[in-house]
Amino acid sequence: MAQKPRILSARLVLHLFLTLSSAKPTLRNSPSPDWEALNRSVNGRLHTVTPFALPCFSSYQGQTSQPSADLCTAVQRNYTSALFRTDTFGGYMHSQGEICAGPSTSQCILDDTNPSDQLAFSNKSCGQGNLASYYIEVQEPGDVQAAFEFSEKTSVKLSIKNSGHDYLSRSNLKGSLALWTRKLQQLSHGASFTPDGCSSGAVFNAITIGAGVNLDQVYRYADEQNVTFIGGSSPGVGPSGGFVQGGGHGLLTNVYGLAIDRVLQFKVVTPDGRFLIASDCTNQDLFWALRGGGGGTFGVVLESTHRVEPVFPLVFAFITFPATSTNTPQFISLIVNNSLTWAGQGWGGPQGPNFIAMANPMLDLAAATASMAPAAAYALSQNGSVSIDLYPSYFDVYNQFIAPAGNLGVGSAEFPTNRLIPASTMRSASGRLQVNAYLNKALLEGASPVIFQTTPYLYRYSPGTTSATPAWRNSVWMIVNSVQWAWNSTFNEKRETVLRLKGLTRDLEALAPSSGAYGNEADPWTVDWRHAWWGPSYSRLLSLKRRFDPQGLLNCWRCVGWSEALQAQGREFECMGALDSWNSY
C-alpha cells in the first residue's frame, strides 16, 4: 500500500530548518589553535558557514554531501522569503551575495523562479561561493573586540552581516570571518532621550534599535508605542546597519529627512578595539563618518538611536494603468512637469512610466486629490485604476502597501544603478526635456526606470552635518535602473549583464554630470565611485578611516579606503572583480 505523502506545515518547516541548520558543527576541518582560542573567547559562538541551499545538494565543494529532504523542502518553500533568509546566516536577499563569479563560477543557489526545479541542484555541486568561512554570532561588544584582535593577529579578513539586504556584496567576503549582528534584538522607546555628552536641554522622542532588528520589527514596535519611525520601504532591512550608515531614504524622507538626518547616537566597536558612543556631543568625528560614510567601514555598530515623530494621518496615492509604447510618453511628461510642484507639496515615494505610489503627510485629502488630478485623469483614460485615500498613520500605509511587497526580488540577482537629479535641472524647460528624453530612451532600450521622489527636498538640513554626497540636498529625484541575470547564467552572460549596467550608469551620469549617486543602491562597478557616492566628503572620511582602523581590518567592496588592486585575481575581492572588465581574467 502506497504511503501518504508527508505534509509539513509552514511553521513546522521554519522551525525544523532553523533548529537543524543551527546544529551544525561549530568548527570544521580541524581548525588551528587560533580558531579554537577565538571560539572559547566568544563563548562557543563561532560557527561554520554553509550555503543557504546546501541541504538540496549531494555534492559540496567537490565532496559527497548528504542532502536533507526536510531541510531542502524548507529552503524551497521559503527561498524567496526575506524573513526566512534574514534569520539564516547563509541567506542573502539577492543571490549575487552568495556567488563567486569567474571562469569557474562557485555557487550554491536554486532557480528563484521555481525553487523546486531539480535542474538547479540535481547532480550539481554546491560551492562556497563568496561566503565567509566562519561567523561569530555577536551578542556583546567583547565578541567584536575578539574578532578584531584575531584578525590583526592572523590576517584573516573580516566581514559584517546584518540582514544581508545588500546589492553590492558588501556584507560577505570569500574566506572571511564574519560578524553576524542579527541576534542583537533590543528595542526601547524613550520620550525624553538625551544623546551621550549632550546637555540636558537636548531631549528627543526616540527609539533605540539593536543592530539585528529589521524595519518590519521597528514599524510594529513604533506603532505599539504610538509613534512614527521614519524609515525605508524594504521590511527586511536593518535600520542600524548599512541603511542608516549609507543614507537611508523612504516614503517620508522628502519632509522628515534621510535616516542620517534622524539618527541621534551610535554604539559601536571600532577596529582599534574600543567600544564607543558616538553622537553630536561625543566622538563627533566618528558620528559624522557613520552618518553617510557607509556600513562595514568605521566599526561594527551594535545599536543606534533615532528621532521619532508622533502618529499623524497621511494620504497615499496609488495610480496605475496598463503600459503601452504609445501611452507612457505622455505620462512621463506629466510626472516630469509636476516634479517640483509635487515635491514642494510634500509628496514622496516611487513613480514610473505607468504608476505613482506616493505618500503625503502635508496635504488633506481634498488638496491631495486635487494635486494628483492630472495623473488620475490620465490613468483612468488608459483603463487604469486610481486610489487616493487618507490613512490614520504611516503604519496603516505600511501594512497595506509596503509589507505585502517585502519579498519582491528576494533570491534573484539584481543590480541597480541610480543618479540624483538636481532640482535646478527640473526648473528649466531644457532640463525637463533632457530628463524626459532620457526616460523615454531608457524605455525604448528595454530598461525599466523608476523615479524615487525620496530626496530630502523639503527637509531643513544643517550643511556639513552628514558625510553622504551633498547631491542629496539639492536634488528632487533619484532615478533608478536595474539589470538582472538568471540563476544559471554563464560567466560571459554575467559579464554582458555588467556591461549593460555600466551603460545605464554612463547614461545617468551624462544626464546629471555634476550630481552624485546613492551608494547603497548604486552600480557596484561605478568607475568614479569615490566622487559619485561621497563627493567632497571622501578625503575627510579617508582620514577618519585611517584613524579608527589603522590596520585596515575592515574592508568592503568600494567602501572608504578600498583600492581597485584588491579586485585582482587571487585577491580578496576577486569574486566581484572578475566581472569588472573583459580583460581582467
Side-chain angles (χ1 to χ4, degrees):
M1 181 177 178
Q3 290 184 330
K4 291 178 67 177
R6 185 181 183 191
I7 304 298
L8 300 177
S9 70
R11 178 174 294 181
L12 178 59
V13 166
L14 178 59
H15 173 75
L16 181 68
F17 182 83
L18 294 179
T19 300
L20 295 184
S21 64
S22 64
K24 52 188 172 289
T26 302
L27 298 176
R28 181 181 59 210
N29 297 337
S30 301
S32 70
D34 287 331
W35 286 101
E36 296 286 3
L38 174 63
N39 189 37
R40 289 192 297 271
S41 71
V42 297
N43 298 312
R45 291 194 295 275
L46 177 66
H47 301 285
T48 295
V49 176
T50 55
F52 181 61
L54 176 59
C56 298
F57 288 79
S58 59
S59 175
Y60 174 45
Q61 295 287 80
Q63 303 293 319
T64 300
S65 178
Q66 183 63 46
S68 167
D70 287 341
L71 293 182
C72 181
T73 297
V75 170
Q76 290 170 334
R77 290 184 177 178
N78 296 278
Y79 197 71
T80 58
S81 165
L83 176 60
F84 195 85
R85 285 175 171 266
T86 296
D87 283 331
T88 309
F89 178 81
Y92 288 78
M93 292 303 110
H94 298 285
S95 62
Q96 64 258 34
E98 304 169 40
I99 294 171
C100 187
S104 298
T105 297
S106 174
Q107 65 182 45
C108 189
I109 60 175
L110 304 182
D111 178 354
D112 57 283
T113 65
N114 180 16
S116 298
D117 181 2
Q118 294 193 14
L119 288 176
F121 58 90
S122 181
N123 297 318
K124 300 286 176 64
S125 180
C126 168
Q128 190 74 0
N130 198 29
L131 298 178
S133 296
Y134 300 99
Y135 73 91
I136 296 172
E137 186 180 283
V138 175
Q139 293 187 10
E140 57 189 38
D143 296 337
V144 181
Q145 291 166 330
F148 283 138
E149 183 179 346
F150 175 83
S151 178
E152 187 170 2
K153 177 181 178 181
T154 64
S155 298
V156 171
K157 303 302 179 184
L158 298 174
S159 57
I160 305 169
K161 185 193 176 191
N162 181 335
S163 65
H165 197 290
D166 173 25
Y167 292 110
L168 286 82
S169 294
R170 288 172 164 173
S171 55
N172 54 304
L173 180 61
K174 179 182 176 182
S176 66
L177 167 63
L179 297 165
W180 191 31
T181 62
R182 174 61 175 160
K183 300 301 181 181
L184 299 173
Q185 286 289 304
Q186 63 270 28
L187 271 170
S188 62
H189 170 235
S192 301
F193 176 83
T194 298
D196 188 75
C198 294
S199 68
S200 58
V203 176
F204 301 91
N205 194 2
I207 285 181
T208 296
I209 305 166
V213 177
N214 61 34
L215 280 172
D216 182 76
Q217 294 171 283
V218 176
Y219 288 143
R220 296 184 187 284
Y221 178 74
D223 183 64
E224 293 171 1
Q225 301 299 312
N226 200 35
V227 295
T228 302
F229 183 84
I230 309 298
S233 300
S234 294
V237 165
S240 291
F243 175 76
V244 63
Q245 294 172 59
H249 69 109
L251 287 181
L252 299 174
T253 50
N254 175 19
V255 176
Y256 293 100
L258 299 165
I260 52 176
D261 297 320
R262 304 189 60 80
V263 66
L264 299 169
Q265 180 172 286
F266 293 98
K267 290 186 178 179
V268 56
V269 180
T270 52
D272 55 12
R274 293 180 292 166
F275 178 44
L276 301 175
I277 297 176
S279 72
D280 250 340
C281 309
T282 303
N283 295 305
Q284 293 95 328
D285 282 348
L286 179 59
F287 187 56
W288 178 84
L290 291 170
R291 296 174 75 187
T297 302
F298 299 95
V300 180
V301 170
L302 303 184
E303 73 172 37
S304 58
T305 302
H306 306 249
R307 283 189 294 126
V308 292
E309 302 293 329
V311 172
F312 51 80
L314 72 165
V315 175
F316 188 79
F318 186 62
I319 300 170
T320 185
F321 60 90
T324 69
S325 59
T326 57
N327 67 8
T328 53
Q330 187 171 338
F331 195 72
I332 288 173
S333 293
L334 190 154
I335 60 178
V336 167
N337 290 329
N338 281 280
S339 58
L340 291 176
T341 298
W342 286 344
Q345 292 173 336
W347 290 102
Q351 45 193 323
N354 71 321
F355 78 93
I356 289 172
M358 294 202 294
N360 196 312
M362 292 174 57
L363 300 181
D364 61 24
L365 182 58
T369 302
S371 171
M372 282 288 145
Y378 187 78
L380 292 173
S381 75
Q382 303 301 311
N383 298 313
S385 62
V386 174
S387 171
I388 304 174
D389 296 302
L390 182 67
Y391 292 84
S393 70
Y394 172 77
F395 187 63
D396 290 287
V397 173
Y398 170 79
N399 272 333
Q400 183 166 338
F401 294 98
I402 299 173
N407 292 328
L408 291 179
V410 172
S412 67
E414 181 177 0
F415 300 90
T417 183
N418 71 82
R419 198 70 173 175
L420 294 161
I421 307 302
S424 59
T425 299
M426 309 304 262
R427 290 191 185 104
S428 71
S430 61
R432 292 193 297 274
L433 285 173
Q434 288 177 340
V435 174
N436 202 323
Y438 165 80
L439 293 170
N440 281 289
K441 177 176 177 287
L443 277 179
L444 289 173
E445 293 176 350
S448 300
V450 177
I451 300 154
F452 285 88
Q453 192 163 295
T454 53
T455 65
Y457 182 73
L458 292 179
Y459 182 74
R460 297 181 63 181
Y461 168 70
S462 298
T465 54
T466 62
S467 52
T469 173
W472 276 112
R473 306 302 171 177
N474 58 18
S475 295
V476 66
W477 276 2
M478 179 175 72
I479 297 180
V480 177
N481 262 313
S482 63
V483 298
Q484 300 82 31
W485 66 49
W487 69 272
N488 58 348
S489 293
T490 66
F491 176 56
N492 284 340
E493 287 170 339
K494 290 184 176 76
R495 280 190 154 179
E496 288 280 6
T497 301
V498 172
L499 286 176
R500 289 200 302 275
L501 182 66
K502 288 185 172 185
L504 292 170
T505 301
R506 285 193 297 270
D507 288 346
L508 282 169
E509 290 172 344
L511 178 63
S514 61
S515 188
Y518 178 37
N520 283 355
E521 299 172 18
D523 172 358
W525 297 276
T526 299
V527 176
D528 190 15
W529 54 275
R530 296 171 182 85
H531 177 75
W533 303 344
W534 290 289
S537 296
Y538 188 82
S539 58
R540 183 183 172 194
L541 284 168
L542 183 59
S543 176
L544 292 172
K545 168 68 172 174
R546 290 167 177 165
R547 186 205 302 180
F548 291 104
D549 188 9
Q551 304 302 318
L553 300 182
L554 289 179
N555 215 339
C556 53
W557 179 264
R558 280 168 164 72
C559 294
V560 172
W562 187 84
S563 166
E564 279 76 5
L566 298 174
Q567 70 179 51
Q569 187 174 14
R571 299 298 298 273
E572 49 263 49
F573 294 95
E574 65 175 354
C575 294
M576 292 285 284
L579 298 165
D580 199 16
S581 167
W582 281 99
N583 300 312
S584 62
Y585 279 49

